[in-house]
Amino acid sequence: MLVVGEVHTGLLRGRDPMSAREAASLVDLVAGEPVLRLERPRSYVRSPERPVGVDCPLGAPAPARQVRGIGTVLQRAAITGGHIVQGTAWTTLTRATGSARQPWSHYLARLGVIEAVGRVQPTELTEAFAAPDRAAGALDLGGIAALASDLVQSAVPAGGRSRERLRLPRTRLRFVVEQGDTAGPPSFAVHDDQLRIMRVTLPAEAPPRLLVAFGEDLALHDWLLTSVIGIVDRAAIGALPRDESLGRLRPAVDYLLHLWLPAGRGGELAGQLWETLERRAAFTRQWALLRDRIRDQFAVGAVAALSAAMPR
């Protein structure tokens, strides 16, 4: 019926960007399973997926008609560019064939699938997962995603230089993918400083893992955009002395501007979804405006410094 997931994105704590080898050691969360490691077009490492068993309400809105979910959520962590960490949790929701709970061997044979037990209304489940607030006690994909991110953060060794003046919040992207006969355009909504929700309808044959990869890519670029907007706001261009503003802008140049590469994961499907989102939300155009504004400030600062250094 649905593919649902949540991605938490934040800055890797404690030191300058890590090498691919160091980052791979941090996301080695499953003993004996290989870590995905890519060097191009940018450094990217990802842990193997590990199943998390769940047996809880799915959060459908009718209290008298609870829908119970039993099965597994897949959890993984990734580091991009040596210093952006993501924790992801996702699953596919299907109807149970009966009302009786099966032995765990049944659910472990279908990793990444939760069977919905009860009178299931797909539209109600969709609305429940697409709502900003989740019911108390319902399936908490955000908590599972946060745990993956926290495990990586806790493994970061002490020492190294800290990223001066770079303090950035974590964001959460929840994605809800409905199955339909035809594809529909994705919607993207920012609900507060942290939570974003992406919703889309796609044919049933769309591979779930490509959808998850697209969700992670969207979460990464939303975090980059959110972070640079915050840096530019704190720079108070035109209000503070130029040298102070440039000092506040410099972390964006050192750590973030080179990482913009949308539709880098998820294959052709991701490219199509990104193209639609770009027409609606204009991510790249907003990024280009911010990037050019930062570069213009450094160009003006360089001209001013050169002019001050010339003999009169």
Side-chain angles (χ1 to χ4, degrees):
M1 296 180 292
L2 296 173
V3 177
V4 294
E6 192 159 318
V7 187
H8 287 216
T9 308
L11 188 71
L12 193 65
R13 67 166 62 118
R15 55 171 300 174
D16 283 340
M18 293 190 166
S19 67
R21 179 171 302 191
E22 291 172 322
S25 68
L26 295 181
V27 300
D28 190 7
L29 303 182
V30 182
E33 295 291 330
V35 170
L36 174 65
R37 179 173 163 183
L38 302 175
E39 297 285 354
R40 298 178 182 180
R42 61 186 170 197
S43 172
Y44 176 75
V45 297
R46 191 184 71 210
S47 74
E49 293 170 330
R50 62 180 186 179
V52 178
V54 297
D55 183 348
C56 60
L58 292 179
R65 184 171 48 79
Q66 285 293 328
V67 178
R68 178 184 179 191
I70 311 172
T72 56
V73 174
L74 292 179
Q75 177 194 62
R76 68 191 192 190
I79 298 175
T80 301
H83 63 180
I84 300 174
V85 60
Q86 291 184 293
T88 303
W90 69 278
T91 191
T92 299
L93 299 177
T94 66
R95 295 178 188 270
T97 56
S99 59
R101 187 185 186 282
Q102 302 295 320
W104 269 112
S105 58
H106 168 80
Y107 304 106
L108 291 175
R110 305 176 68 199
L111 296 180
V113 174
I114 290 178
E115 296 184 7
V117 180
R119 289 190 295 154
V120 181
Q121 296 292 336
T123 55
E124 288 184 349
L125 284 181
T126 299
E127 295 302 325
F129 278 100
D133 298 320
R134 297 281 292 146
L139 176 64
D140 184 11
L141 294 172
I144 299 173
L147 179 59
S149 178
D150 291 343
L151 286 172
V152 174
Q153 296 281 25
S154 65
V156 175
R161 294 182 300 157
S162 63
R163 299 175 185 85
E164 186 179 2
R165 296 185 296 276
L166 191 58
R167 299 290 183 270
L168 302 173
R170 180 184 291 188
T171 59
R172 301 158 47 210
L173 171 76
R174 189 182 308 148
F175 55 89
V176 182
V177 184
E178 304 171 76
Q179 292 184 351
D181 295 331
T182 59
S187 65
F188 178 83
V190 177
H191 287 276
D192 55 35
D193 291 342
Q194 288 191 318
L195 179 63
R196 292 87 168 90
I197 295 178
M198 190 276 291
R199 184 171 171 177
V200 67
T201 300
L202 293 172
E205 60 269 17
R209 280 180 169 79
L210 291 185
L211 301 174
V212 176
F214 169 72
E216 291 171 330
D217 198 38
L218 176 59
L220 172 69
H221 288 83
D222 170 74
W223 181 86
L224 285 169
L225 187 57
T226 301
S227 298
V228 173
I229 289 172
I231 290 172
V232 170
D233 288 345
R234 290 190 293 273
I237 297 170
L240 293 176
R242 190 174 304 279
D243 286 348
E244 186 173 348
S245 290
L246 292 179
R248 296 186 181 192
L249 291 172
R250 182 171 178 175
V253 178
D254 290 343
Y255 299 111
L256 303 179
L257 292 188
H258 64 289
L259 294 176
W260 190 262
L261 189 66
R265 298 198 296 272
E268 184 178 347
L269 174 64
Q272 295 169 354
L273 293 174
W274 260 110
E275 185 177 348
T276 304
L277 277 176
E278 289 283 18
R279 290 197 298 268
R280 291 167 169 255
F283 288 99
T284 298
R285 281 185 289 167
Q286 188 175 6
W287 178 264
L289 289 172
L290 290 166
R291 179 198 61 205
D292 292 346
R293 191 178 188 197
I294 292 171
R295 290 176 176 175
D296 288 346
Q297 290 300 308
F298 278 96
V300 171
V303 170
L306 182 61
S307 177
M310 292 181 64
R312 297 183 182 276

